[in-house]
Amino acid sequence: MTELEDLYQEVILDHYRSPRNHRVLEDASHRAEGYNPLCGDRLTVYLKVESGVIVDVTFEGSGCAISQASASVMTSSLKGKTRAEAEDLFERFRSLVTGEGDQADAMELGELAALSGVSRFPTRVKCATLAWHSALAALGQEGNAVFTED
Ligand code: ZN
């Protein structure tokens, strides 16, 4: 294992053990439930959007370390972003975890880059992207959205 992989492993375990923004957001303007039947991961993502900007984002749920850590890192990354910026960030994150991204881009993604090791385990990509798909599904419509990986 390289030093970088060690560091990434530490970031994932830290977010899994002490997830950030792991709570119900009472005054959320958008929310979505996400389910990944392959692994059994379940998430609810809550967002509060004001004047087109994500001012708060939280999640709750249960599942594997990858899905929980990814959701935690995502909530930290999305605050202060517009919907377009969130979509752009997801595209870059998605190409990283599917192995299509390059290392230079990974450096700009900060803690999100810690999930890059997922690209070696194709079946875990859905664990890593579940929170993102749920957040974007929530942003795409008013009220409740449900997202299921298939
Ligand atoms: Zn999972």
Side-chain angles (χ1 to χ4, degrees), residues 30-47 58-64 67-68 71 74 126-139 141 143-150:
H30 299 71
R31 56 166 272 182
E33 288 165 31
Y35 176 49
N36 173 14
L38 270 182
C39 182
D41 309 315
R42 283 181 190 280
L43 290 172
T44 304
V45 177
Y46 303 86
L47 301 113
T58 69
F59 78 103
E60 56 167 0
S62 58
C64 67
S67 68
Q68 299 295 299
M74 181 195 76
K126 289 181 176 184
C127 303
T129 56
L130 182 65
W132 288 86
H133 282 302
S134 305
L136 293 177
L139 289 172
Q141 66 178 74
N144 266 351
V146 177
F147 180 82
T148 303
E149 288 274 14
D150 53 23

Side-chain angles (χ1 to χ4, degrees), residues 60-139:
E60 56 167 0
S62 58
C64 67
I66 299 284
S67 68
Q68 299 295 299
S70 180
S72 174
V73 176
M74 181 195 76
T75 57
S76 307
S77 308
L78 283 185
K79 244 178 244 184
K81 299 275 194 298
T82 63
R83 188 183 165 201
E85 287 168 339
E87 283 173 352
D88 177 60
L89 197 57
F90 173 57
E91 269 316 304
R92 292 161 66 192
F93 176 72
R94 200 188 56 79
S95 55
L96 188 75
V97 297
T98 54
E100 294 160 14
D102 58 40
Q103 207 60 35
D105 207 27
M107 300 310 285
E108 289 173 27
L109 286 174
E111 281 194 319
L112 290 171
L115 278 303
S116 62
V118 169
S119 63
R120 291 196 305 275
F121 307 97
T123 57
R124 309 310 294 277
V125 168
K126 289 181 176 184
C127 303
T129 56
L130 182 65
W132 288 86
H133 282 302
S134 305
L136 293 177
L139 289 172

